[in-house]
Amino acid sequence: MMGARQLVLDLDTGPRLGREDFMPSQANAAALEAVDGWQEWPDLRMILAGPGGSGRTHLAAIWAADAGAAHLSGHTLALPEPARAYAVDDADAAAGNAAREEALFHLLNRAAAQRAPVLMTARDTPGTWGIALPDLNSRLLACAVTRLDRPDDTLLYMTLVKLGDERQLALDTATLDFLLARMDRSLSSAHRVIAALDHAAVSRQKRVSRALAAEVLAQMQTR
């Protein structure tokens, strides 16, 4: 039947967080160097601060794999079983929740007693988190901080190309330039855009083009 759209099964499993999937650039070079030099962290603690979509979760996953760390989330934080190292993604999400703040406080104390390294990620430096527990706040303020910048054009371009290749999408230069000029400036946005393009191309049985990219971006902006 002419004009029929193909049913698409959404098999996307989300971003890949291995070291081989991390794309170094000027925007993340200092953070990558700091993560790789974790054995030299002051007091074996580090806070990786950067805006959403800057790659901080990816770096935390790389470090957790390298250090054999328990990988935790500040959104659901509870004191885990003892581990050789601890990675707390979105640690700032614990702020304002008494139970999660208490768990983070005891985790830092345990890690110090064990000489176990701790990596925490957050949107900004600890003084902005709104921590209510004074002892926890003082420990966080004493941590070393490394900042991640928003992805630069080079990193976003490479990411779009890589994600397109993984999905076997032929992205020409005109389409890539169009996306780069109009999409949100984050790695998470790059993942969403490529997934939406892939879905649209398959369901409509069309090749990826600048026109299809314009349609997809317009749809994403209205949601």
Side-chain angles (χ1 to χ4, degrees):
M1 180 183 299
M2 295 296 294
R5 294 191 177 185
Q6 182 174 332
L7 178 64
V8 180
L9 296 178
D10 187 2
L11 301 178
D12 184 28
T13 58
R16 301 177 185 179
L17 299 178
R19 180 177 288 272
E20 67 278 7
D21 302 302
F22 189 79
M23 308 196 72
S25 79
Q26 186 175 349
N28 58 36
L32 179 60
E33 182 179 0
V35 166
D36 282 341
W38 62 272
Q39 293 173 322
E40 305 300 323
W41 292 348
D43 298 323
L44 292 177
R45 297 178 186 176
M46 176 64 70
I47 295 173
L48 190 59
S54 60
R56 62 177 194 262
T57 293
H58 196 161
L59 274 175
I62 290 172
W63 179 80
D66 288 348
H71 205 162
L72 313 167
S73 169
H75 295 279
T76 57
L77 188 61
L79 190 63
E81 294 296 319
R84 61 187 296 182
Y86 304 92
V88 185
D89 201 24
D90 296 327
D92 50 340
N97 181 285
R100 295 201 298 268
E101 287 193 18
E102 192 78 19
L104 184 55
F105 174 68
H106 288 303
L107 174 62
L108 292 176
N109 286 344
R110 175 198 284 173
Q114 293 178 253
R115 293 293 297 163
V118 181
L119 174 65
M120 292 169 279
T121 74
R123 290 182 175 272
D124 210 336
T125 53
T128 69
W129 295 7
I131 295 290
L133 189 61
D135 287 342
L136 172 60
N137 199 44
S138 65
R139 281 162 175 73
L140 292 170
L141 290 172
C143 291
V145 177
T146 297
R147 289 184 177 274
L148 263 170
D149 294 328
R150 286 193 179 277
D152 53 28
D153 283 354
T154 300
L155 178 54
L156 282 174
Y157 194 96
M158 290 190 303
T159 300
L160 289 170
V161 170
K162 180 178 183 295
L163 294 174
D165 286 346
E166 289 174 356
R167 292 174 177 267
Q168 298 182 322
L169 294 179
L171 300 171
D172 59 30
T173 301
T175 301
L176 287 166
D177 289 344
F178 179 84
L179 291 172
L180 195 62
R182 292 163 177 81
M183 62 182 281
D184 291 339
R185 315 298 292 174
S186 73
L187 299 179
S188 53
S189 177
H191 282 271
R192 291 193 299 270
V193 166
I194 294 299
L197 263 179
D198 187 26
H199 188 280
V202 174
S203 65
R204 302 180 191 185
Q205 300 181 53
K206 289 184 176 181
R207 68 178 182 87
V208 175
S209 63
R210 184 185 179 282
L212 185 61
E215 289 183 41
V216 166
L217 284 183
Q219 290 172 357
M220 293 177 68
Q221 290 166 359
T222 59
R223 291 174 184 170

